[in-house]
Amino acid sequence: MMLRCLSLGIALLGVITAVDATEPVASIDSPIAKMRHLDWQGQLQADLAYLCSDDLRGRSVTDDSIHVAAAYLAERFQQAGLDTDLIAGKPFQEVETFVGIEVGARENNHLEFRSASAPGESGLDTDGDQDKTLDLDLPLGIEMNPLAMGADRAQAAGRVIFAGYGITAPEFDYDDYANIDVRDAVVIVLRKEPGNTDPASRFDGRRNTPHAYFSTKVSNAIRHGAVGIIIVNDRASVAEAIAKIDDMTRREWARRTQLLERLRESPGDASGGPQALADNLAAIDSVIAGYKTDREFAANGLLGISEAGDRPEPNTKIPVVCVSRGAVDQLFQGQKRPTIDAIEQQLDRQQSPSSFELVGVTAGMRVELRSNKRLSNNVLGVIPGRGVLADETVILGAHYDHVGLGGYGSLAPGTIAIHNGADDNASGASALVACARLLGERLQSFDTHRRVLFVAFTAEERGLLGSAHYVRQPRFSMNSTVAMINLDMVGRLRDNELTVYGTGSGDTLDPLVEQANFRHEFNLFKVASGYGPSDHQSFYEAGIPVLFFFTGLHSDYHRPSDDYEKIDFGGMFRITEMVCDVSTQLAIATSRPARVETQKGVTIRRQLTAVLGVTLANQPGGVVLSGLSPGGAATSGGLQVGDQIERLGKAAVRSSTDVIEALRGYSPGDSLDVEILRQGQRYERRIRLQARPEG
């Protein structure tokens, strides 16, 4: 499922050989051959196990593993009996995905400093020695890196001014630009703000104010007339970056040690075992080597090209770069100035501006950035229609991409680890393949039925790009498309709760879902809207009625912990059969559902993961605590049996259902203000929620 956020991108490392994006190829050791005699449930489990395996490294569109996954699904569609010669004789529909900004030609990314003489009088420095000419060229990726928040292509030249933290903050009586003129100059500014970790700072000291934001600094420099901006990373951020990389390196070394032990214990004649472990070791070595490079980059104080975000204003036309702290020290040394470390400590201690011009020094800078685009594929297969309904289409879809090793889309910030995406969305892709087999068998008994198109979408996590591309370039006319069913995160059924979105998007869909559920007996939570952050929305916006089957958000969502062993296969089998029932009816019904406009702004339903540790009793006056778990959250928070719950956070409580729905918005460890009525008196208690027991 797509996450509407943007995190820092990272380089993905591994051992899969690069392949042509337009020609996905299956792995030589593909497990498909081993599944030819499995029943559909066994195949579903095997499909999911493969798609969320470490070998596929999280199926990011930025990684070659996305093509291996596509080839696997294409072959599984063929095995399920689908026709796959749909796009120029193949099952692949190419999708271009923008994945960030990258550095252009090396010769067009350059920063140099020059001066004919240093600040001494008549060419002599303060010790009476002849001044030396400054000639400093900063190598790309070592001492200098361009930032995406500046212009894509620009150059600038001018005198050089150090403007402290680059802040103008009247509310704090602080202005780094108060006594300097930076018009037509290149400005050097520090990241963050004075006293960033000092609670007594004139700024907040506990968290960043807007003046610490990169965008604020860049906009402020432009307003003061700067023609180029150089950002210097602060000490604390450099130390934090190094610590994170060191921690991740230690984890990889620990994994390597464990794998070596397994390799020693593995029998020499184990089928594929030792080789697989050796391949994993090679992958870990590659990651560790990458971390070593990353650490050198971080130790220099450099920022990644997108680490400061995008440009703050659309009309930003000046270059913005980051330079190493060591390079700044070389500049300051020639001016008889303290080191950048000493100046930063002075600014933090005194919290008063100390800006200055580097006398006689000029800078010349040039940047060239370009869009980084990747190609991946939607995977298509079809059950051809029959009879009078043959030219109409029902679409079943599920995305198969995920967020790779983290970075973009991950909810585990700073973590570089495989996000296997077992539930999101190996579950939906695996169920899609199972539906292809089951529906192919069912529809053989009907003389007339619509064609059923199966699409495994790419780039859903990048903004529904795969489904949006199909809608723009459909294989079968959108006018003849009757409905679209989406499977996204269907592997974590809990409390028998199945959420179905879009039941109001077509005039016959709600009763169709209810009828199908007579046999399966889910606790249905129906949402009428056809909107929401998954691939069905692309079709609904194009005029197609939709249904979206979903088992709810959970605490492993977009984290490395979304793994195979947490999948409820019993629930998945039941959901797959229900989807097949609904799809069959849509394929054979004489009339098609009429699209109905529904409300936007859908809230995605979460599973209940945090609890109070109570039992509840609905009484005429409200909800009363009838029991408390020893050591539970409510007990620890001072609640008592007989207390009547009036409010949880901002949500009023009138029934036990209100309590459960309110708790869905919280996670274990969250603090929750609870208003209670006890013997006629109102009290408020703050409760620290606990994790719901598994099972």
Side-chain angles (χ1 to χ4, degrees):
M1 177 174 290
M2 177 186 68
L3 181 68
R4 299 181 186 275
C5 74
L6 178 65
S7 301
L8 303 180
I10 56 171
L12 302 181
L13 301 170
V15 295
I16 293 180
T17 302
V19 295
D20 184 349
T22 63
E23 298 287 343
V25 293
S27 167
I28 294 175
D29 298 321
S30 171
I32 290 178
K34 302 176 183 178
M35 296 192 292
R36 294 187 184 278
H37 304 294
L38 295 177
D39 60 18
W40 73 267
Q41 294 179 341
Q43 287 186 328
L44 186 154
Q45 286 186 263
D47 287 334
L48 196 150
Y50 179 72
L51 290 172
C52 71
S53 66
D54 284 355
D55 289 344
L56 265 64
R57 297 201 300 271
R59 310 180 307 279
S60 169
V61 295
T62 63
D63 190 274
D64 288 334
S65 61
I66 193 72
H67 308 306
V68 177
Y72 178 88
L73 289 168
E75 188 170 348
R76 291 292 291 118
F77 277 173
Q78 292 168 356
Q79 281 195 353
L82 302 185
D83 291 345
T84 57
D85 300 336
L86 296 178
I87 309 291
K90 298 177 182 179
F92 305 115
Q93 183 184 47
E94 189 175 272
V95 179
E96 185 177 73
T97 303
F98 171 77
V99 296
I101 300 293
E102 63 182 7
V103 177
R106 177 172 291 272
E107 62 269 19
N108 292 329
N109 289 275
H110 182 66
L111 175 61
E112 63 182 20
F113 296 97
R114 299 285 185 268
S115 71
S117 62
E121 297 180 1
S122 303
L124 297 177
D125 67 15
T126 53
D127 296 322
D129 297 327
Q130 183 70 34
D131 292 336
K132 295 181 180 179
T133 299
L134 176 67
D135 189 4
L136 184 60
D137 293 302
L138 302 187
L140 176 67
I142 299 174
E143 300 289 349
M144 179 276 281
N145 210 42
L147 299 179
M149 66 184 319
D152 291 338
R153 186 189 298 267
Q155 58 185 2
R159 56 203 174 89
V160 181
I161 294 176
F162 174 71
Y165 281 96
I167 291 173
T168 299
E171 70 274 29
F172 296 119
D173 191 25
Y174 186 97
D175 187 1
D176 283 309
Y177 292 93
N179 298 311
I180 55 172
D181 179 5
V182 302
R183 285 176 294 180
D184 299 323
V186 173
V187 175
I188 301 174
V189 298
L190 278 162
R191 185 181 182 182
K192 298 292 180 64
E193 57 196 3
N196 190 63
T197 59
D198 180 6
S201 169
R202 69 169 69 190
F203 295 85
D204 190 287
R206 295 164 299 177
R207 54 183 176 270
N208 291 332
T209 74
H211 297 291
Y213 301 166
F214 290 107
S215 57
T216 307
K217 294 175 185 289
V218 170
S219 297
N220 194 33
I222 292 172
R223 280 195 298 272
H224 282 87
V227 296
I229 302 170
I230 297 171
I231 292 176
V232 182
N233 212 348
D234 64 291
R235 291 176 302 145
S237 295
V238 171
E240 181 181 358
I242 293 172
K244 284 183 178 180
I245 294 170
D246 286 347
D247 180 60
M248 292 184 291
T249 302
R250 282 192 293 270
R251 293 180 189 179
E252 291 302 316
W253 277 112
R255 284 184 59 209
R256 194 181 194 284
T257 300
Q258 293 172 356
L259 282 172
L260 280 172
E261 292 175 356
R262 287 173 53 193
L263 186 58
R264 294 190 192 99
E265 296 170 359
S266 178
D269 58 352
S271 178
Q275 184 59 49
L277 288 172
D279 289 344
N280 283 333
L281 280 172
I284 291 174
D285 288 343
S286 179
V287 171
I288 291 173
Y291 286 160
K292 181 179 179 181
T293 301
D294 291 344
R295 193 185 193 282
E296 293 171 355
F297 188 87
N300 281 343
L302 293 184
L303 297 168
I305 189 170
S306 297
E307 198 168 343
D310 296 323
R311 66 190 59 163
E313 300 172 0
N315 61 351
T316 300
K317 297 180 180 179
I318 70 173
V320 180
V321 304
C322 176
V323 301
S324 70
R325 294 172 69 89
V328 177
D329 280 342
Q330 290 185 63
L331 283 175
F332 288 179
Q333 182 180 17
Q335 297 278 306
K336 308 303 182 187
R337 296 280 181 177
T339 64
I340 188 64
D341 192 73
I343 290 176
E344 183 180 348
Q345 292 185 55
Q346 175 187 332
L347 289 170
D348 290 347
R349 183 173 59 254
Q350 297 180 354
Q351 294 189 22
S352 60
S354 181
S355 303
F356 54 85
E357 181 171 348
L358 280 70
V359 180
V361 177
T362 59
M365 56 196 305
R366 176 183 296 174
V367 298
E368 180 187 67
L369 306 175
R370 61 191 178 203
S371 296
N372 184 6
K373 297 179 180 179
R374 300 293 179 92
L375 297 177
S376 57
N377 293 276
N378 291 333
V379 186
L380 283 66
V382 69
I383 300 172
R386 288 182 179 178
V388 296
L389 297 174
D391 289 334
E392 294 184 347
T393 308
V394 174
I395 297 178
L396 269 69
H399 76 91
Y400 68 98
D401 66 304
H402 197 47
V403 298
L405 300 184
Y408 185 100
S410 173
L411 289 179
T415 298
I416 301 177
I418 297 174
H419 291 52
N420 295 107
D423 190 25
D424 186 14
N425 188 34
S427 67
S430 303
L432 183 70
V433 174
C435 284
R437 173 175 171 176
L438 292 175
L439 272 176
E441 295 171 353
R442 289 187 185 188
L443 293 177
Q444 288 179 5
S445 61
F446 293 92
D447 294 329
T448 181
H449 63 78
R450 297 176 174 89
R451 74 170 63 89
V452 182
L453 176 68
F454 295 81
V455 188
F457 295 109
T458 187
E460 189 268 357
E461 301 290 7
R462 293 279 171 166
L464 316 183
L465 299 184
S467 55
H469 180 81
Y470 179 86
V471 166
R472 290 192 303 271
Q473 300 185 31
R475 175 59 179 83
F476 301 104
S477 168
M478 295 299 289
N479 290 332
S480 68
T481 300
V482 170
M484 186 270 181
I485 296 177
N486 183 32
L487 295 162
D488 194 350
M489 296 180 65
V490 292
R492 300 280 285 267
L493 188 72
R494 197 166 193 182
D495 300 325
N496 199 38
E497 291 182 348
L498 176 61
T499 302
V500 185
Y501 292 83
T503 55
S505 68
D507 61 351
T508 61
L509 295 184
D510 189 285
L512 178 59
V513 170
E514 286 287 355
Q515 181 182 11
N517 196 46
F518 286 154
R519 179 161 78 94
H520 302 286
E521 299 183 331
F522 289 105
N523 296 329
L524 287 183
F525 183 82
K526 297 182 295 182
V527 181
S529 179
Y531 296 97
S534 191
D535 286 312
H536 62 286
Q537 177 170 289
S538 298
F539 289 86
Y540 185 62
E541 290 179 336
I544 309 300
V546 297
L547 291 171
F548 166 32
F549 288 80
F550 177 58
T551 54
L553 292 182
H554 44 71
S555 57
D556 298 313
Y557 172 64
H558 279 218
R559 293 178 172 86
S561 52
D562 181 9
D563 281 329
Y564 175 88
E565 61 270 13
K566 297 181 180 179
I567 296 296
D568 173 15
F569 285 103
M572 270 194 72
F573 300 153
R574 293 171 58 211
I575 293 169
T576 301
E577 289 185 312
M578 180 167 173
V579 170
C580 286
D581 289 349
V582 171
S583 302
T584 300
Q585 293 305 309
L586 285 170
I588 66 174
T590 56
S591 61
R592 57 191 289 176
R595 184 187 185 279
V596 178
E597 184 58 39
T598 58
Q599 186 177 1
K600 297 183 179 181
V602 176
T603 300
I604 294 300
R605 188 171 170 84
R606 293 185 59 178
Q607 292 184 345
L608 182 66
T609 60
V611 294
L612 286 168
V614 299
T615 54
L616 304 171
N618 289 317
Q619 296 187 359
V623 183
V624 173
L625 301 184
S626 58
L628 299 174
S629 300
T635 301
S636 301
L639 300 189
Q640 300 177 8
V641 171
D643 288 345
Q644 180 172 306
I645 301 179
E646 295 289 293
R647 186 174 296 277
L648 292 175
K650 297 181 179 180
V653 172
R654 296 293 178 265
S655 68
S656 57
T657 300
D658 293 337
V659 174
I660 293 171
E661 292 305 311
L663 289 174
R664 288 185 191 276
Y666 294 88
S667 300
D670 287 350
S671 294
L672 175 61
D673 291 328
V674 181
E675 183 181 312
I676 60 172
L677 191 64
R678 178 185 297 169
Q679 297 179 352
Q681 298 293 318
R682 292 186 182 275
Y683 299 93
E684 189 170 285
R685 297 287 186 267
R686 173 157 289 189
I687 308 298
R688 188 174 180 82
L689 298 174
Q690 295 179 348
R692 179 184 177 183
E694 294 294 331

